[in-house]
Amino acid sequence: MVTECGIPPGENFTYIIDTTDQVGNFWLHSHIQSQLTDGFRTPFIIHEKVKPDTYDEEKLLYFEDWDLRSFDDQMDIYSRLNIKKIPIAYRMLLVNGINGNVTQPVVFEPGKRYRVRVVSLLTLFWVKFRMPGHTMQIIDQDGVACNPVEVDGLDLGPGQRFSILVTAHDTAEFNYKYNVTLYANFVDPLPGILPRYYNGPIEYHQNAPLKHIPDVDDDQLLWSNTLDLQARDGMPLLPVDRQIVLSIKQFTPELDIPVYTFGDYAYNHSLVPTLFTALSMGDLAFNSSVYGPQSQAHVLRYGESIEVLVYSDNANDHSLHMHMGEYQVVEVGPYGNAAANNRPVVAFQRSGSAPMRSDVVTIRSFSYIKLRFRVNHGAIIFFHCHMIHNFKGLAVTFIAAPDLLQKHMKVPDEVIRMCKIQSIKTSGNAAGNAGYDLTGLPPPILVKRG
């Protein structure tokens, strides 16, 4: 529970989303346990009030990884069998909600220019997306416009979104295919099973023959890379007032499945939503102790420029998402011993003068990444891995300007009602008590280091 108590069974709740200052590709999803993994997700597109004149029409493609069993069923089996390494099933790909190899065609008219919105609703795997025979130009990522950059394909982790411009050919002489590869670095490759390859039709005319495009090795192609992009508004690199260092670690408790963490403790929800603690604790809201060790809270002051330095000597890739804003993606580089773990070494790269801003970025195995943002409003910012590691502990909370929250925010009565139905307290520290008394708060999982 970060900002609310959730909707109890049999109830309903209306979310009002202010889109005044937002346009772009987003998505809606649950944050309750494995509901996201099991399909509680959908794209959410915010259009400009006036359509830009840089394209004629739009297309939407969204990708999901899918398994016939619920995630809870899988976890139950693994726990009862005392399996310490999660043998994730070789999941399937859905494109626009159906099997990726039988999806409806993307219909192009000769000579038209299209904005193709590409949204990753994935939770465990990554995808590579290409439109062979066509030129792709990235024009935005995660709702932030960028200067156009031409690429051969998009490499999307869980939660990432892009818009690309694609100009159709001048004639309807041929049809084409787009390619989607479902892959992950934490699952052993199995020929014919993983990576999984999917093709969808790009249709110019129902009866046109398919244009043969020779295959090209991935290593010879230019893939999307946030550090290659520049924000279109030219916002310069932020200074650093404070650096927060997070280190991704993995720990497997005895008779359990792995726990992932950014700190000494695995993240877990409080007994009181973190927002309500920030609103009700007065000056103590600036002391991270009141949020409990399991929240991994970092309190930020208004106006601070924060650099988050994330290290990963973990063999898995992770998709890092920040709620309530965007960060500048500033730098990546190698960390740990990738070669000894049969992983590629991540090359050092730094952003340009106007770093691209994003709310989801992939940190590759055995690497580090630097992200920067400015605290310009009061908020409870949830920073987490967008894979299943989210509910296995890989998350922290940034308590941004709690004094501004206390001054300006009023929690709607309906939000309070949802909590009361579930007998969840709406004030006090993480345990629902006064001051620093955390009696009743379940003990956090202390992660063994080394």
Side-chain angles (χ1 to χ4, degrees), residues 32-49:
I32 302 295
Q33 291 298 322
S34 60
Q35 291 179 359
L36 165 60
T37 307
D38 292 337
F40 196 166
R41 55 203 179 192
T42 187
F44 182 69
I45 309 300
I46 305 175
H47 294 272
E48 296 88 347
K49 290 183 178 179

Side-chain angles (χ1 to χ4, degrees), residues 18-295:
D18 184 359
T19 63
T20 304
D21 298 318
Q22 294 188 89
V23 296
N25 308 323
F26 302 92
W27 60 310
L28 303 177
H29 55 275
S30 170
H31 257 281
I32 302 295
Q33 291 298 322
S34 60
Q35 291 179 359
L36 165 60
T37 307
D38 292 337
F40 196 166
R41 55 203 179 192
T42 187
F44 182 69
I45 309 300
I46 305 175
H47 294 272
E48 296 88 347
K49 290 183 178 179
V50 178
K51 187 184 80 66
D53 60 6
T54 53
Y55 58 90
D56 300 302
E57 294 182 21
E58 294 187 6
K59 303 292 181 180
L60 171 64
L61 291 172
Y62 60 94
F63 305 130
E64 303 171 80
D65 48 355
W66 186 252
D67 193 279
L68 297 179
R69 297 169 298 177
S70 75
F71 192 79
D72 284 347
D73 286 346
Q74 296 176 57
M75 291 297 98
D76 180 61
I77 293 170
Y78 304 152
S79 295
R80 285 190 284 108
L81 294 179
N82 187 24
I83 297 175
K84 295 183 179 179
K85 180 180 179 181
I86 305 176
I88 296 298
Y90 293 97
R91 298 167 73 88
M92 299 173 289
L93 180 77
L94 305 181
V95 178
N96 291 3
I98 61 176
N99 184 301
N101 280 323
V102 296
T103 188
Q104 293 297 307
V106 175
V107 178
F108 277 2
E109 293 184 35
K112 283 191 173 182
R113 199 177 202 196
Y114 292 89
R115 178 181 189 163
V116 183
R117 299 179 184 268
V118 184
V119 179
S120 166
L121 309 185
L122 302 161
T123 58
L124 285 167
F125 287 72
W126 271 249
V127 292
K128 290 183 175 180
F129 169 73
R130 294 185 60 221
M131 302 181 75
H134 298 79
T135 299
M136 298 167 53
Q137 268 193 342
I138 298 175
I139 59 170
D140 69 50
Q141 178 181 347
D142 301 340
V144 179
C146 64
N147 297 328
V149 171
E150 187 173 318
V151 295
D152 296 314
L154 301 179
D155 190 356
L156 298 98
Q160 289 187 304
R161 299 93 60 200
F162 289 92
S163 286
I164 56 175
L165 292 182
V166 181
T167 301
H169 293 285
D170 291 333
T171 71
E173 182 181 3
F174 295 103
N175 291 328
Y176 297 79
K177 284 188 176 182
Y178 64 80
N179 307 141
V180 187
T181 302
L182 184 71
Y183 78 97
N185 78 335
F186 60 87
V187 180
D188 294 331
L190 187 62
I193 301 296
L194 197 85
R196 287 186 187 269
Y197 301 100
Y198 294 83
N199 296 291
I202 303 173
E203 183 180 287
Y204 282 80
H205 190 280
Q206 278 188 323
N207 299 322
L210 180 66
K211 177 76 171 181
H212 174 69
I213 307 290
D215 289 335
V216 180
D217 190 86
D218 280 2
D219 294 339
Q220 301 177 36
L221 298 172
L222 179 62
W223 295 96
S224 57
N225 176 1
T226 303
L227 281 163
D228 291 337
L229 306 179
Q230 295 278 288
R232 193 173 70 188
D233 61 13
M235 178 179 169
L237 178 67
L238 291 170
V240 178
D241 296 322
R242 177 154 55 117
Q243 185 183 73
I244 296 173
V245 179
L246 306 175
S247 182
I248 297 175
K249 296 291 183 179
Q250 176 181 333
F251 165 57
T252 304
E254 187 176 359
L255 302 180
D256 204 350
I257 57 179
V259 170
Y260 295 86
T261 176
F262 282 122
D264 292 332
Y265 297 99
Y267 177 85
N268 199 6
H269 292 297
S270 307
L271 297 182
V272 173
T274 303
L275 173 63
F276 297 161
T277 294
L279 289 173
S280 64
M281 293 300 290
D283 290 343
L284 290 183
F286 278 98
N287 191 314
S288 61
S289 298
V290 302
Y291 303 99
Q294 82 298 323
S295 70

Side-chain angles (χ1 to χ4, degrees), residues 404-420:
L404 294 185
L405 281 174
Q406 294 173 9
K407 183 177 180 180
H408 298 294
M409 175 171 282
K410 182 184 183 303
V411 178
D413 292 340
E414 188 66 5
V415 174
I416 300 297
R417 188 179 76 86
M418 292 292 120
C419 296
K420 288 183 175 179

Side-chain angles (χ1 to χ4, degrees), residues 1-4 31 33 249 259-275 291-298 380-385 388-399 430 442-447 449:
M1 294 185 295
V2 180
T3 59
E4 58 177 292
H31 257 281
Q33 291 298 322
K249 296 291 183 179
V259 170
Y260 295 86
T261 176
F262 282 122
D264 292 332
Y265 297 99
Y267 177 85
N268 199 6
H269 292 297
S270 307
L271 297 182
V272 173
T274 303
L275 173 63
Y291 303 99
Q294 82 298 323
S295 70
Q296 292 292 284
H298 299 263
I380 306 300
I381 301 172
F382 196 46
F383 182 75
H384 66 95
C385 178
I388 60 168
H389 306 147
N390 168 30
F391 53 88
K392 293 303 296 180
L394 193 51
V396 298
T397 45
F398 297 132
I399 316 300
I445 298 174
L446 177 63
V447 176
R449 295 284 167 165

